[in-house]
Amino acid sequence: MYKNKINFLLNEIIRQRPDLSEDRVISLAQRKKEEIKGISDYTALLLVAIDLGVKLSVKQSFITPIGKLVDSLNSVNVKGRILWVGQEKKFKRRDGTTGMFVRAGIGDSTGVCSVIFWDRPRRELEELGVVEGNVVEISYASTRKSLSGEVELHVGLKSEIMDRSDEIDQYPPTADFLKPLSEIMSASGRIYTLGQVINEPVKTKFKIEGEDEERSLLWFNITDGKKVVRVVVWNPNQNYEWVKPGTTVAIFNAKPKIGLNGEIELHVGKVSHISPFSGKEYEIKFKPSILKDLKQGYNMAKIYVRINAIGKLKIFEAKRKSISIHASDISSDVNITFIGKIAEKIVGLKPGDVISIAGFRVRLRRGEIFIFCDDFTELDINPEIMRVLSFTREMILLPEHFFPFRICLVENMKQY
């Protein structure tokens, strides 16, 4: 217990004074012992803490809040809910022996942190209580910064892991640690979130110039009913066949980046994790719109357009099909490209046909509108409509259940 108190005090000094290294703090404590003969190591550290302005509570807790973990702590104790557990991974040590580690995530009301369990198989971890959703206490762990700058908790064989399932109601549920997609506003830090998959995952392979090894990535879109975000999984080495449209997934420790379309994407790499998330479903709604009101990026919108011209069906190397059309509504004209199986549905249509599409990506370039549709896009060919004379000879009016949109079209027509 005495050693625990010293380690706790040392960690607390370093946490509040990150400008000082552990060796520097110990050196200051040693100087105190030389100045004041006969004092203990703990008293020397306590005097150093007072000199440095470190605030210590009267009733010290040996549990460090997860949100207050900093780099280079030793013998640190934490308690929290296990948010995710990855697969076992093996590696070769410099001496030729084989080691193993399991990545996981833990959180309490103050924050979240990645955990690396060294040389313990998942089966053993499960027996100790390291199961998604459970609460555990971890003692005698250490902290380090990852290559990307985040603080990680390292749990070795000398560390203790205790099942605290009797305290499970005292910690926030897993959903509370997951940020809604619509609240992700910047490409910084690490993201814990969830969303509903809205398209079949697409897997592609590629090579980087100068490298012989072929790489791969998997991407799909998820939504929270308000915003759509693309998820990019780099070099997927596990089975993602369970990721299907309609499945709700939780994504842990993803890296947000700005994609080619200028939108935030979530990139999943070695330190990230994806798992199914039950009990959460989203109602996906497409807001009626006209072309001139579309925004750059993914639009949760539904539009009606008349086809003016149709291109030829093309087939890429990956055997994916695409076809482009030129179309218009009362407000503007547009170039629409259909990619995937949806392209086959456009073949055979002719100029003058009317289509409605819902859920698509928009690119605005030099005053022109480009729309990209995939197999998630809802397509309706020649829906039941009413036609009235307009300045373009015919204007599309929508069925009665799209009354707000009809009003929108009529209002736009008045200016002509």
Side-chain angles (χ1 to χ4, degrees):
M1 179 62 75
Y2 179 72
K3 184 178 179 181
N4 285 352
K5 290 173 65 178
I6 291 177
N7 285 327
F8 173 82
L9 187 52
L10 181 60
N11 287 341
E12 192 63 18
I13 293 172
I14 295 172
R15 187 184 69 79
Q16 294 189 35
R17 290 295 303 271
D19 56 312
L20 300 176
S21 66
E22 180 178 329
D23 290 342
R24 176 60 176 160
V25 174
I26 292 174
S27 175
L28 292 173
Q30 186 61 37
R31 190 179 301 172
K32 285 291 182 185
K33 292 186 69 174
E34 293 171 357
E35 293 173 355
I36 307 173
K37 302 298 182 181
I39 64 173
S40 66
D41 293 340
Y42 180 79
T43 301
L45 272 176
L46 191 58
L47 292 173
V48 169
I50 294 171
D51 289 347
L52 295 174
V54 174
K55 297 180 180 180
L56 300 172
S57 60
V58 176
K59 183 179 179 181
Q60 293 184 6
S61 168
F62 292 109
I63 300 295
T64 300
I66 292 172
K68 294 185 178 181
L69 292 175
V70 295
D71 185 27
S72 302
L73 299 180
N74 292 308
S75 297
V76 67
N77 302 341
V78 301
K79 190 191 297 185
R81 186 181 297 278
I82 296 296
L83 303 177
W84 60 274
V85 183
Q87 299 298 317
E88 295 175 15
K89 294 186 178 180
K90 295 183 179 181
F91 66 96
K92 285 282 187 181
R93 297 190 180 94
R94 292 180 180 178
D95 61 4
T97 59
T98 300
M100 120 182 1
F101 67 91
V102 174
R103 286 188 179 274
I106 191 171
D108 64 11
S109 59
T110 66
V112 296
C113 181
S114 292
V115 186
I116 302 178
F117 295 98
W118 294 99
D119 296 314
R120 296 181 196 253
R122 275 198 59 163
R123 177 181 50 79
E124 179 183 336
L125 291 173
E126 290 172 359
E127 291 174 353
L128 294 170
V130 181
V131 178
E132 291 180 6
N134 194 30
V135 171
V136 299
E137 181 177 345
I138 300 172
S139 303
Y140 311 116
S142 61
T143 60
R144 291 184 221 161
K145 272 190 178 180
S146 67
L147 294 177
S148 56
E150 288 82 25
V151 174
E152 297 176 331
L153 188 68
H154 289 252
V155 181
L157 291 177
K158 293 183 180 180
S159 304
E160 294 182 3
I161 305 171
M162 291 157 280
D163 188 338
R164 294 292 186 238
S165 53
D166 57 322
E167 301 179 31
I168 199 165
D169 293 336
Q170 299 176 25
Y171 287 80
T174 301
D176 286 6
F177 295 95
L178 304 175
K179 190 174 186 177
L181 290 174
S182 52
E183 295 181 12
I184 300 174
M185 306 304 293
S186 64
S188 61
R190 289 281 175 170
I191 297 294
Y192 286 58
T193 189
L194 77 165
Q196 186 170 308
V197 179
I198 57 176
N199 68 284
E200 289 286 349
V202 177
K203 189 171 184 178
T204 58
K205 295 184 178 182
F206 63 96
K207 278 189 176 182
I208 295 179
E209 187 175 352
E211 293 186 3
D212 295 330
E213 186 178 353
E214 189 175 55
R215 300 192 182 190
S216 63
L217 61 84
L218 185 80
W219 69 266
F220 53 91
N221 294 319
I222 60 174
T223 184
D224 62 355
K226 299 178 180 178
K227 184 176 182 178
V228 174
V229 174
R230 175 173 290 184
V231 178
V232 181
V233 184
W234 289 92
N235 295 314
N237 55 8
Q238 53 183 292
N239 184 3
Y240 284 101
E241 291 182 359
W242 58 271
V243 179
K244 300 286 186 183
T247 303
T248 300
V249 299
I251 301 177
F252 302 94
N253 212 36
K255 181 67 176 176
K257 294 184 179 181
I258 301 297
L260 296 176
N261 296 312
E263 302 171 80
I264 293 177
E265 299 177 343
L266 297 180
H267 287 241
V268 175
K270 294 179 180 179
V271 300
S272 312
H273 183 75
I274 303 177
S275 62
F277 192 88
S278 60
K280 185 71 174 180
E281 294 184 2
Y282 296 97
E283 183 180 3
I284 301 176
K285 292 183 178 180
F286 299 106
K287 184 179 179 180
S289 180
I290 52 179
L291 290 174
K292 77 177 186 65
D293 290 340
L294 297 178
K295 308 297 183 183
Q296 179 86 2
Y298 200 96
N299 282 238
M300 296 289 287
K302 183 169 187 174
I303 61 172
Y304 283 70
V305 294
R306 183 187 307 284
I307 298 175
N308 300 323
I310 302 178
K312 292 183 179 181
L313 184 68
K314 298 178 181 179
I315 302 178
F316 298 103
E317 291 182 3
K319 295 183 179 180
R320 298 197 77 203
K321 299 177 180 180
S322 77
I323 192 169
S324 297
I325 67 170
H326 183 270
S328 58
D329 70 3
I330 190 65
S331 67
S332 183
D333 60 350
V334 64
N335 296 290
I336 306 176
T337 300
F338 298 86
I339 303 172
K341 295 179 181 179
I342 193 173
E344 299 174 0
K345 299 177 182 179
I346 302 300
V347 177
L349 296 184
K350 59 186 182 300
D353 284 337
V354 174
I355 62 171
S356 70
I357 54 175
F360 44 80
R361 195 171 298 278
V362 175
R363 188 175 298 170
L364 305 176
R365 186 189 302 161
R366 297 177 182 176
E368 291 189 84
I369 305 171
F370 297 85
I371 290 179
F372 299 88
C373 302
D374 56 25
D375 293 331
F376 167 67
T377 303
E378 291 185 5
L379 170 65
D380 195 2
I381 297 172
N382 288 320
E384 292 185 5
I385 56 173
M386 296 171 59
R387 304 176 189 272
V388 298
L389 188 65
S390 75
F391 78 104
T392 57
R393 295 188 180 178
E394 282 190 317
M395 177 185 115
I396 301 172
L397 286 181
L398 307 186
E400 291 297 331
H401 59 278
F402 282 97
F403 185 74
F405 186 71
R406 294 186 62 190
I407 294 295
C408 181
L409 284 177
V410 171
E411 289 300 317
N412 276 279
M413 184 178 176
K414 287 179 180 178
Q415 61 184 305
Y416 301 104

